[in-house]
Amino acid sequence: MSMPATGSHAAARSRPADRVFAASALIAGVVILTALAAVAVFLIAQSIPALIADPATLPTPSTSFWEYVAPLAFGTVWAAALALIMALPVSIGIALFISHYAPRRVSQTLGYVIDLLAAVPSVVFGLWGIKVLAPFVQPFYAWLVDNLGWIPLFAAPVSGTGRTILTVAIVLAVMILPIITAVCREVFLQTPVLHEEAALALGATRWEMIRVAVLPAGMPGIISASMLGLGRALGETMVVAMVLSPALVISFVLTGSANPPTIAGNIALNFPEAHGIGVNALIATGLILFVITLLVNSAARVLINRRKAFSGAN
Amino acid sequence: MLDPVTSVRLRALMAVAAVSTLLLTSCAANEMYQPDTSSDLSGEINGSGASSQGSASDVWIAAFQTAHPAVTINYSPDGSGAGRKAFASGGVAYAGSDSALSTSELSSNFAACSPGTKAIDLPVYISPIAVIFNIEGVSALNLDAATLARIFKGELTRWDDPAIAALNPGEALPAAPITAVHRSDDSGTTTNFTDYLAQVAPEVWDAPANDSFPYLTGEAAQGTSGVVEAVTNGRNTIGYADASRAGGLGVAALKVGDTFVRYTATAAARVVAESPVESGRAANDLAIALDRTTTNPSHYPLVLVSYLIVCQQYADPATGALVKAYALFVASTQGQALAATSAGAAPLSPDLSARVSAVIETIR
């Protein structure tokens, strides 16, 4: 812009281009809020019949709507958390390799490959999950159950097909890897060079430099990246519907046949044949997913704001 | 995978090929559906409903549209429940459904029908359901309903259980856990499978027939292809699926009377033909009360019957004429033969086909 660098906001003359830009930015902001509000209103309005209905008429007869939705909510959070636990360390490793270890050419190629992974549609991941991954991991699950069955996570009996929540979490982890890696890489590249050089000048090795300079500065970014990944994992539908062997239970077992379903996967499976109050019940579970996502994101915001002060990034 | 357009074209081509083969080879002209070439049928109707009828519907529509070029029929396989709902609200001219209209659905109004008239159920698609298995070293398996129910209920957990061994003398059943695979989505296949178990083995299977699998045991998979996939890729698995999709998997023989019966299209059609029409319905409503407790070994009682749901009298006579012509074709020998070759359905027995056609003639 050709605006003079000096002069306060009040003094700046407002030009047509300025006003057009301000207006379009405002419209963009309003549109996204309206869309969100419209979705929320739809979810709430359509959920009410299921919330006040006789619980015996729900798709799976229960004593209350909350009993029906509890395994779904649990499965959603459990699968996404497992995926994040697996994906986050790997992502940070890849991002650090690209930003601080790899030669320039390698890091560029690797970056492209990771981005390519993000472009694979989830239905393809789903097919890979049932056709390749599940049969491949089943013998490992059988071994885990035989030898480590005393750990509640691997309680017997083992699934005969390998289509368990752990398999789903592995596929989800591969799916959220690219987004977390991409964000972390950008954040690590933004580390103040002065901090890095100061650490090195004090005799830090490269790992120590990363630990004292890069990671603390990148912490808010790492949290944001995790939340983006978690958001995708929470809402992922196709993979869960295709790969998971669901049953309406709350169970921490990773290798069994009865796995808690996820909300999105359950809607995808049961909506086509749903009728009457069943449709409302499914939409009501969607409302719960909406609330869970909102809570997770708010928690992340709080965490980021708290960390900012100590990160040295500001 | 083929994209939808290509696959529709392919199916249409296949249907045309099948029709021409039929025209060339079958000379039972008295039973053939004769399209009235001078007819001025034209227009468009939409249907929606059961996915079980989906592939049969594709060839029926392709063949019907070849005979009547001015007619367009669209069928969207959204599921039985969705189809019945869309039909009741007048969104579509006919519905395909794996279960007949319930009495409460019949008591409400149907928007597409003339005021005061009701909808009727026409059985047009019979598909045997196969009990498929993939057990190491086992190629043939005999089961009775009670044992099958105990397996799917999770009461029998190992293949070498004496209860299973007693039915399969001489077969080396492995000392391995059973993985029973059921549908994770709501499905007419599950309804008919659980109905069979509830009718024949009520002392074990204490849950009523239902779209969704009633117990929390076993493994679940999405859709027919998901179940077939899980049974194929898993170890020592058993599941149930449309017989046409069993592929190279082992198929269990079910005990009927004192004999173990493997499914055949004729045996499946026979149990439908000899079951009574449900009582307490309008005269033209052919909802069938399947008698799965039959002890006649020429019957295979684990079948799925899918219906066309149409109005007795349409508010719009033009729609009525189109639906009538299409339904007549579907119920004809030719339509049933098409479904048999393309979708592995069991053709309606001649008796039942004639009865359905007689009802269709009364559609206005």
Side-chain angles (χ1 to χ4, degrees), chain A residues 37-78:
Chain A
V39 170
V41 167
F42 157 78
L43 283 175
I44 293 170
Q46 293 281 311
S47 300
I48 288 171
L51 296 175
I52 58 174
D54 176 9
T57 60
L58 290 173
T60 310
S62 324
T63 53
S64 77
F65 173 76
W66 303 109
E67 188 194 314
Y68 168 68
V69 83
L72 297 169
F74 169 78
T76 308
V77 176
W78 181 226

Side-chain angles (χ1 to χ4, degrees), chain B residues 67-94:
Chain B
H68 305 276
V71 177
T72 306
I73 300 176
N74 306 305
Y75 182 77
S76 87
D78 302 329
S80 302
R84 290 203 301 272
K85 209 167 136 192
F87 176 71
S89 65
V92 292
Y94 71 94

Side-chain angles (χ1 to χ4, degrees), chain A residues 71-73 75-76 79 165 168 234 236-237 240 244 246 260-267:
Chain A
L72 297 169
T76 308
I165 197 143
V168 169
L234 283 173
E236 178 50 43
T237 309
V240 183
L244 190 67
T262 75
I263 292 176
N266 183 59
I267 294 176

Side-chain angles (χ1 to χ4, degrees), chain B residues 17 37 56 85 97 168 170 189 196 227 238 256 270 312 327 336 338 357 362:
Chain B
T37 41
K85 209 167 136 192
S97 171
N168 296 279
T189 314
Y196 165 72
V227 171
I238 184 168
V256 182
R270 224 172 260 149
Q312 179 69 70
Q336 290 296 308
L338 274 179
S357 300
T362 67

Side-chain angles (χ1 to χ4, degrees), chain A residues 59-61 127 130-132 135 138-139 142 157-164 238 241-249 256-258 268-276 279, chain B residues 1 49-51 78-82 84-85 98 105 177 179 181-182 184-188 210-212 215-223 226 229-231 233-235 237:
Chain A
T60 310
L127 284 174
I130 43 177
K131 289 226 173 237
V132 180
Q138 200 278 335
V158 67
S159 157
T161 61
R163 294 161 53 258
T164 74
M238 209 59 210
M242 290 170 81
V243 179
L244 190 67
S245 159
L248 273 182
V249 293
S257 282
L269 283 177
N270 294 323
F271 191 75
E273 291 282 336
H275 49 90
V279 176
Chain B
M1 284 229 319
S51 49
D78 302 329
S80 302
R84 290 203 301 272
K85 209 167 136 192
D98 291 341
E105 281 171 319
T179 299
V181 186
H182 57 83
S184 59
D185 49 342
D186 289 357
S187 153
N210 196 355
D211 280 358
S212 60
Y215 300 110
L216 289 179
T217 53
E219 185 118 350
Q222 180 195 17
E229 192 71 41
V231 172
N233 289 339
R235 294 203 299 168
T237 47

Side-chain angles (χ1 to χ4, degrees), chain B residues 72-220:
Chain B
T72 306
I73 300 176
N74 306 305
Y75 182 77
S76 87
D78 302 329
S80 302
R84 290 203 301 272
K85 209 167 136 192
F87 176 71
S89 65
V92 292
Y94 71 94
S97 171
D98 291 341
S99 51
L101 290 165
S102 66
T103 31
S104 69
E105 281 171 319
L106 276 171
S107 64
S108 63
N109 279 320
F110 297 94
C113 308
S114 287
T117 65
K118 289 297 173 198
I120 51 177
D121 303 295
L122 305 168
V124 293
Y125 180 86
I126 302 172
S127 171
I129 298 172
V131 174
I132 51 180
F133 64 86
N134 177 14
I135 312 170
E136 280 159 27
V138 178
S139 55
L141 186 67
N142 291 334
L143 291 172
D144 58 19
T147 313
L148 188 60
R150 288 177 68 198
I151 289 176
F152 272 88
K153 208 180 167 186
E155 290 179 5
L156 298 180
T157 55
R158 301 190 73 78
W159 281 115
D160 55 354
D161 193 287
I164 305 176
L167 298 173
N168 296 279
E171 199 69 58
L173 292 159
I178 298 177
T179 299
V181 186
H182 57 83
R183 290 281 290 267
S184 59
D185 49 342
D186 289 357
S187 153
T189 314
T190 303
T191 318
N192 285 280
F193 181 72
T194 53
D195 186 44
Y196 165 72
L197 295 178
Q199 276 197 32
V200 185
E203 69 285 355
V204 182
W205 200 263
D206 46 14
N210 196 355
D211 280 358
S212 60
F213 192 79
Y215 300 110
L216 289 179
T217 53
E219 185 118 350

Side-chain angles (χ1 to χ4, degrees), chain A residues 27 36 296:
Chain A
I27 291 172
L36 198 65
V296 167

Side-chain angles (χ1 to χ4, degrees), chain A residues 98 105-119 185:
Chain A
I98 292 176
R105 187 170 298 171
V106 176
S107 73
Q108 250 176 8
T109 320
L110 197 59
Y112 286 135
V113 172
I114 299 284
D115 290 345
L116 199 66
L117 206 57
R185 181 187 61 198

